[in-house]
Amino acid sequence: MAGKPKLHYTRGRGKMESIRWLLAAAGVEFEEEFIEKKEDLEKLRNDGSLLFQQVPMVEIDGMKMVQTRAILSYIAAKYNLYGKDLKERAWIDMYVEGTTDLMGMIMALPFQAADVKEKNIALIIERATTRYFPVYEKALKDHGQDYLVGNKLSWADIHLLEAILMTEELKSDILSAFPVLQAFKGRVSSIPTINKFLQPGSQRKPPADEKSIANVRKIFSI
């Protein structure tokens, strides 16, 4: 029997957090080997573990996988969270790319100067409520099903819930004009594997603080 997937990244959310979410939602136990200092990253680079000298890196099924999108799509396909055919997969991809864009804007915030950060928070809230959330609200409302694609839990739903919770950290009532998404959030959050991941003490990571950001800057020389 293959061992548990092993995740190599810092202790923060970053690009690894969506991978943690997807594995947890699939009910897959995983181990984490944290990059605590620059030397830990250099060791991975020097021993040939990182195809493009970058993390995230996940050891799974005898591979040392890199590139976030490649890792996520492999996990989604492996654990039957990637639709039943090419058309469903295309829809999942489109929905995931939307939430990836939104979450990417949020991930950048801790590295920005205060004045820039304030402007970008306003922009994120505006984009979430006018560009992204209306798409998911309409999709769920139009087909009247519990999930975005194929009436079955998929990577798209898991990614959307992660994005909703991240935007709520910026504005707690951001879903006030989206009743269908409010119901979706409650429904998907109550799925046992996801509910477990949302509890204190899980491998879900908290928002970045000043200390963790300073450490990330040091590790990656940014």
Side-chain angles (χ1 to χ4, degrees), residues 4 38 51 59 68 78 85 96 107 109-110 167-168 173 179 190 205 210-211 214:
K4 296 175 186 175
K38 195 175 182 65
L51 195 62
E59 295 184 61
T68 311
K78 179 178 172 72
D85 55 32
V96 164
M107 274 185 232
L109 287 173
T167 53
E168 284 183 334
D173 66 346
S190 67
K205 302 299 181 269
E210 285 184 21
K211 185 181 175 184

Side-chain angles (χ1 to χ4, degrees), residues 104-161:
M105 294 172 72
I106 298 170
M107 274 185 232
L109 287 173
F111 299 94
Q112 295 166 356
D115 57 334
V116 176
K117 184 176 178 179
E118 193 175 333
K119 287 178 187 171
N120 282 335
I121 287 173
L123 177 62
I124 289 163
I125 291 166
E126 187 266 329
R127 287 272 171 88
T129 53
T130 63
R131 178 179 295 187
Y132 294 108
F133 289 167
V135 170
Y136 302 105
E137 178 88 359
K138 184 176 187 300
L140 289 162
K141 190 174 182 180
D142 284 355
H143 62 44
Q145 296 172 342
D146 286 349
Y147 304 108
L148 284 167
V149 179
N151 202 24
K152 182 178 183 293
L153 182 71
S154 77
W155 174 19
D157 303 298
I158 298 157
H159 221 238
L160 175 55
L161 178 61

Side-chain angles (χ1 to χ4, degrees), residues 32-196:
E32 298 191 82
E33 192 160 306
F34 294 114
I35 297 168
E36 308 270 18
K37 52 191 185 297
K38 195 175 182 65
E39 290 76 15
D40 298 336
L41 179 61
E42 288 306 317
K43 183 178 183 298
L44 287 173
R45 285 172 170 166
N46 293 335
D47 71 13
S49 293
L50 305 178
L51 195 62
F52 299 111
Q53 306 296 303
Q54 296 171 314
V55 289
M57 188 269 278
V58 175
E59 295 184 61
I60 185 170
D61 295 341
M63 296 182 287
K64 291 183 176 180
M65 291 196 72
V66 295
Q67 301 298 98
T68 311
R69 171 79 201 199
I71 297 165
L72 286 165
S73 58
Y74 181 82
I75 293 166
K78 179 178 172 72
Y79 296 106
N80 201 23
L81 294 165
Y82 209 0
K84 69 177 187 301
D85 55 32
L86 272 176
K87 197 170 278 189
E88 285 195 356
R89 192 166 287 197
W91 277 106
I92 290 167
D93 283 341
M94 285 191 283
Y95 288 141
V96 164
E97 288 298 318
T99 40
T100 298
D101 289 348
L102 179 58
M103 288 194 284
M105 294 172 72
I106 298 170
M107 274 185 232
L109 287 173
F111 299 94
Q112 295 166 356
D115 57 334
V116 176
K117 184 176 178 179
E118 193 175 333
K119 287 178 187 171
N120 282 335
I121 287 173
L123 177 62
I124 289 163
I125 291 166
E126 187 266 329
R127 287 272 171 88
T129 53
T130 63
R131 178 179 295 187
Y132 294 108
F133 289 167
V135 170
Y136 302 105
E137 178 88 359
K138 184 176 187 300
L140 289 162
K141 190 174 182 180
D142 284 355
H143 62 44
Q145 296 172 342
D146 286 349
Y147 304 108
L148 284 167
V149 179
N151 202 24
K152 182 178 183 293
L153 182 71
S154 77
W155 174 19
D157 303 298
I158 298 157
H159 221 238
L160 175 55
L161 178 61
E162 183 188 0
I164 287 170
L165 295 180
M166 283 178 76
T167 53
E168 284 183 334
E169 289 171 353
L170 301 178
K171 188 174 190 292
S172 60
D173 66 346
I174 199 160
L175 288 187
S176 59
F178 302 98
V180 178
L181 281 182
Q182 289 176 41
F184 169 88
K185 175 194 164 187
R187 192 164 56 244
V188 178
S189 295
S190 67
I191 292 168
T193 53
I194 294 174
N195 183 260
K196 183 180 176 184

